Each structure stands twice: as C-alpha cells, then as structure tokens.
Amino acid sequence: MKRRSFMGLLTALFALWVAAAPLQARDTGALSAAKIRQAVQEAYEKFKNDDSGKNADYIQALAKVDPKIFGISVVTRDGRVFEAGDTKAAVSIQSISKVFTASLVMRQHGAKFLQEKIGANATGLPFNSIMAIELHHGSASNPFVNAGAIQSTSWVSASDSAERWLKIKNNMDAYAGRKLPFNGEVYKSEVNDNKRNQAIAKLLDAYGRMGSDPLEATTVYTKQCSVNVTSHDLGVMGATLANHGVNPVTGERVLQEAYVPRLLAVMATAGLYDNAGDWLFATGAPAKSGVGGGLLTVIPGKLAIGVVSPPLDKYGNSVRAQKATIYIIEKLGLNPYAQ
Ligand code: GLN
C-alpha cells in the first residue's frame, strides 16, 4: 500500500514535469542570451542605413538633433542588458515622460483616480488635438495625449510647481536608476513654441479638469519633456515595468505592483497616438513613443526594448525605432498575445 502510493506520487510528478517541459523550453529558449544578442545586432544592421522619416521640427531644437543617431537596448526583468549602436547618445524624452508622470499620479492617488479624472480611452486623433477635447466634452481621454499629460502633471500632489517638478523628475530618475540630465536647449526652444499646449491647458481648466494652475502645469510638463535619455535609460525604465514596478538594477520599488498592468494597458491603447492600433496589431506590446525619437516597449514580465532614432513618421513615431522593435519582437517570438 505504502509502496503503491509512493509510485503514484512519482508518476504524478513525472506527468507534471512532462506537462511543464514545453513551457520551460519555450521560455528559456526565447530569452537565451545568445538569441537576444543576435536579434538586437541584426535589428541594428538591418535598419542602420534606413533614412526614412524626418526629425520633428515644430520644436526648433529637435530639428537640429543628429538624425543618424540609432541605439537599441534590450533590458531583461532581471537586469541583463543587450545593446547595439549609439546607446550612449541622448535625445529628449518628450512624450515618453507621460508614462512616468501617469505612474506617479497612480502612485499618489490610485488607478481609479487616473481613469476617472483623465481617462483610459484612445482619441483616434493627433496627440495635440484640441478637437479631441471638445468631442469628448472636456475630457482628455487618456494621459498620453498632450491634454491628458498636462492634466496628469497638474494632479501631482505638491505644495507648489517647483516641488511638483522635483517629484516628477525624481520619479523618472528612480525608473532610470540614475540622475537623468536636463536638456536646457530643448526646454528653452519648447517653452517658446508651446502656445498650443498652453491653449489646451486653458481649455481643460475651463472645463474644471485641472489640479493646479494651467500655465504652471504646462511649464512643468515642458520641463519633463526636456529630460535627456539614451536607449539604455529607456531600456532600464521599461524593464522596471516588465519587473512589476521594481527597478531591476537598483532594486527600488517605484510603482505598486497592482498599478503596473493598468499603466501598460493605457500604453497599449494610446502609446503610439493615432497609430496605436496598427502598432498593437503588429506587436501586441504596450509601448510609448516621443517626438525626440525615443520608443520604449514593454514585454510584460520579461523585458523592455528601448530604441532611440530621431526621424519620425507622420504620426510622430520614430521610424527606425518601430522597425527595429518589430524585428526583435518577431525574431524572439515576444508578442504577448502569442504566448
Ligand atoms: N513636448 C512635446 C509636445 O508637447 C511632446 C509631444 C510628443 O512627444 N508627442 O508637443
């Protein structure tokens, strides 16, 4: 009797092992260091001479950035790094900062607050659309269009705008695991070119949607867009989200685990503006772009891909960054919907 149940236990364990084996093989296979390294290198070689797209020029300083910059960094949730190209070249973070400010709003006020005050729906319209606000009765729709981002900034709890900026900057630094440099030239240029954002903030204020003074919030938002990042920084920032809110390099928790899927959901819905649907169709992956040429993609629970390359398509998304990221996702079988 005793012997029989021992054999039974052995058989059950064997069956479990057989059932789990394909899963394990697939996981480690897809994420083996050699395979990731090869995919990153191939993506770099394949697209390094692709000069399609054009730098943003509605902010003068962005037009002057070297369009040849091209860096790719994959950072896994346990902090391994695989890179190719200009991984030390910095561009201004621009709209990718919106992810981290929305994260801070959730950390301070919860996910429900973000959804109810700002929203979690796509607008289907350009990122700086004023019409989108009017069509949605004063709602910004989501924190990744300019309206929702300026609104997020305004809702960061602080005693004044200087402290608000400090909290936003410290939060981005915690995601990156280092003090990110501030790009004074981009800030000066943008603060003179941001009349449209001022109008957006004033309109939201007229609808009673702002948490602090609209013009002050626009200035803080412009500052947060002027922080410099490399592809390596974007990789680490994204890996923090892939690692459920804990920076894999510093070990610091920067966002409550429960809020990470909420943030990723908004990235999937609206991360690449009015082209977010096509992006999701191609990759299945939450991502966020910026007009500085950065693109940050998260493969939940696994890794992040940070790419920097300034020339943009007509939606304002980096051409080479999208191509390189799609290549890596396909090559490594990382589409979350195909797991
Ligand atoms: N700072 C830019 C703006 O407000 C950010 C836009 C973007 O990256 N899409 O227009």
Side-chain angles (χ1 to χ4, degrees):
M1 185 70 194
K2 229 176 169 188
R3 193 189 166 92
R4 260 245 246 27
S5 61
F6 177 69
M7 285 307 284
L9 184 71
L10 266 185
T11 315
L13 277 175
F14 181 71
L16 244 171
W17 179 75
V18 169
L23 259 179
Q24 286 165 5
R26 190 164 163 184
D27 230 14
T28 46
L31 294 179
S32 84
K35 277 194 177 171
I36 302 176
R37 196 170 298 120
Q38 188 188 347
V40 169
Q41 198 56 43
E42 282 174 9
Y44 177 72
E45 297 296 338
K46 223 172 151 51
F47 303 112
K48 71 175 182 211
N49 296 321
D50 185 333
D51 60 1
S52 37
K54 203 169 147 286
N55 280 29
D57 55 10
Y58 74 100
I59 298 165
Q60 283 177 27
L62 298 186
K64 291 196 259 156
V65 178
D66 182 0
K68 291 206 169 54
I69 292 173
F70 184 33
I72 309 175
S73 301
V74 167
V75 181
T76 62
R77 67 165 286 195
D78 54 358
R80 288 176 296 150
V81 180
F82 304 89
E83 303 187 303
D86 308 315
T87 57
K88 292 198 170 72
V91 297
S92 52
I93 190 168
Q94 297 298 336
S95 274
I96 306 172
S97 66
K98 295 168 179 175
V99 171
F100 306 104
T101 303
S103 148
L104 184 55
V105 170
M106 269 202 282
R107 196 171 100 188
Q108 290 182 337
H109 307 290
K112 216 173 161 50
F113 180 96
L114 188 83
Q115 187 187 13
E116 285 173 359
K117 278 269 189 236
I118 300 170
N121 280 312
T123 64
L125 289 164
F127 62 80
N128 56 2
S129 173
I130 289 175
M131 201 161 74
I133 306 170
E134 292 293 3
L135 284 174
H136 297 98
H137 316 290
S139 167
S141 294
N142 71 67
F144 298 158
V145 289
N146 288 9
I150 299 168
Q151 223 191 324
S152 299
T153 305
S154 81
W155 285 109
V156 169
S157 299
S159 52
D160 58 18
S161 76
E163 194 193 26
R164 190 163 291 113
W165 159 236
L166 208 67
K167 284 191 174 175
I168 288 172
K169 175 67 169 52
N170 286 342
N171 179 58
M172 281 199 274
D173 291 349
Y175 267 98
R178 73 172 184 123
K179 285 250 162 278
L180 294 167
F182 185 71
N183 189 328
E185 195 198 338
V186 166
Y187 174 69
K188 243 200 267 151
S189 164
E190 192 168 352
V191 88
N192 291 314
D193 289 343
N194 72 353
K195 305 236 162 34
R196 192 179 177 86
N197 285 341
Q198 293 177 26
I200 287 173
K202 283 279 198 181
L203 181 59
L204 289 168
D205 194 35
Y207 277 110
R209 303 267 180 165
M210 296 293 282
S212 55
D213 178 81
L215 294 184
E216 262 180 30
T218 309
T219 301
V220 173
Y221 162 79
T222 305
K223 279 187 183 156
Q224 82 178 39
C225 290
S226 309
V227 166
N228 263 3
V229 284
T230 62
S231 63
H232 182 93
D233 292 323
L234 292 177
V236 176
M237 293 166 105
T240 301
L241 292 171
N243 193 32
H244 311 297
V246 175
N247 183 317
V249 179
T250 63
E252 186 185 350
R253 171 162 294 285
V254 292
L255 182 62
Q256 294 94 322
E257 185 165 356
Y259 298 152
V260 173
R262 309 281 174 227
L263 197 58
L264 295 177
V266 188
M267 288 167 75
T269 306
L272 273 77
Y273 314 114
D274 37 334
N275 205 36
D278 282 325
W279 171 259
L280 201 61
F281 191 83
T283 64
K288 185 73 205 83
S289 59
V291 290
L295 178 65
L296 180 166
T297 303
V298 179
I299 308 298
K302 290 194 172 150
L303 53 80
I305 308 167
V307 187
V308 158
S309 168
L312 311 176
D313 65 14
K314 65 173 183 201
Y315 300 101
N317 299 318
S318 167
V319 176
R320 281 196 297 197
Q322 289 179 84
K323 288 182 180 171
T325 305
I326 289 172
Y327 182 84
I328 292 169
I329 288 177
E330 280 179 358
K331 185 85 189 181
L332 297 177
L334 292 173
N335 184 326
Y337 294 131
Q339 302 308 305

